Amino acid sequence: MNRVILMGRLTRDPEIRYSQGESATAVARYTLAVDRRFNRNGDENNADFIGCVAFGRQAEFAERYLHKGIKMLVTGRIQTGSYTNKDGVRVYTTDVVVEDQEFAESKNANPGQGGSYSAPNSRPEPVSVGDGFMNIPDGIDEELPFN
């Protein structure tokens, strides 16, 4: 089985091209910076940079909505290949062919991006306590579907 699931941030805006011919197909290429769970040997680089390629509707989605810094969840498959460059040297490639991609955070989670609107909220927001759980403010518990 060849299945990949990645979560990371785009290192730059996607590069979009269209194939030639009667039914031109969009092709999007972008790189995800995926954090490593463990830092071995005290390395400074705590991320892997994974090349992704999307075709058709997935590429059109990337063209329309993806930009540098956005956090994405990508599923797909690994594809290897090779080609000979202009110097006659054989170059080997490894890419993730995107089968599905979705946003991994809301627009409001990255305030530096701008362009998002957050409606005023009269209720207090849950507060993270650092252990992965949220403290629910008093007065909200009767609205929860479970008690």
Side-chain angles (χ1 to χ4, degrees):
M1 177 186 283
N2 184 354
R3 188 79 170 153
V4 176
I5 302 171
L6 300 171
M7 184 182 299
R9 294 191 182 276
L10 270 71
T11 61
R12 57 184 163 78
D13 290 347
E15 177 183 313
I16 312 297
R17 295 193 178 162
Y18 288 86
S19 65
Q20 301 295 320
E22 289 181 26
S23 58
T25 302
V27 179
R29 290 189 171 277
Y30 56 87
T31 302
L32 282 181
V34 179
D35 289 334
R36 295 181 184 166
R37 281 194 171 185
F38 302 106
N39 185 3
R40 295 184 184 175
N41 303 327
D43 292 338
E44 289 295 320
N45 186 5
N46 292 331
D48 291 304
F49 299 92
I50 313 292
C52 299
V53 60
F55 298 96
R57 296 181 97 164
Q58 295 293 342
E60 292 167 3
F61 177 87
E63 179 178 32
R64 222 173 271 125
Y65 299 109
L66 304 189
H67 55 83
K68 178 181 177 177
I70 196 164
K71 190 172 189 179
M72 296 297 297
L73 177 66
V74 172
T75 59
R77 60 184 169 82
I78 292 180
Q79 180 172 292
T80 60
S82 64
Y83 64 93
T84 304
N85 68 9
K86 62 183 176 186
D87 299 325
V89 177
R90 191 78 159 163
V91 177
Y92 295 92
T93 62
T94 303
D95 290 307
V96 172
V97 177
V98 175
E99 294 171 358
D100 189 33
Q101 56 195 351
E102 55 189 77
F103 300 107
E105 67 185 0
S106 68
K107 285 184 180 182
N108 295 336
N110 198 357
Q113 295 300 323
S116 62
Y117 171 76
S118 178
N121 190 353
S122 61
R123 290 191 282 183
E125 289 294 318
V127 179
S128 174
V129 294
D131 60 359
F133 294 95
M134 304 294 270
N135 281 337
I136 306 296
D138 293 334
I140 294 181
D141 56 338
E142 65 271 358
E143 297 177 20
L144 297 175
F146 50 87
N147 279 335

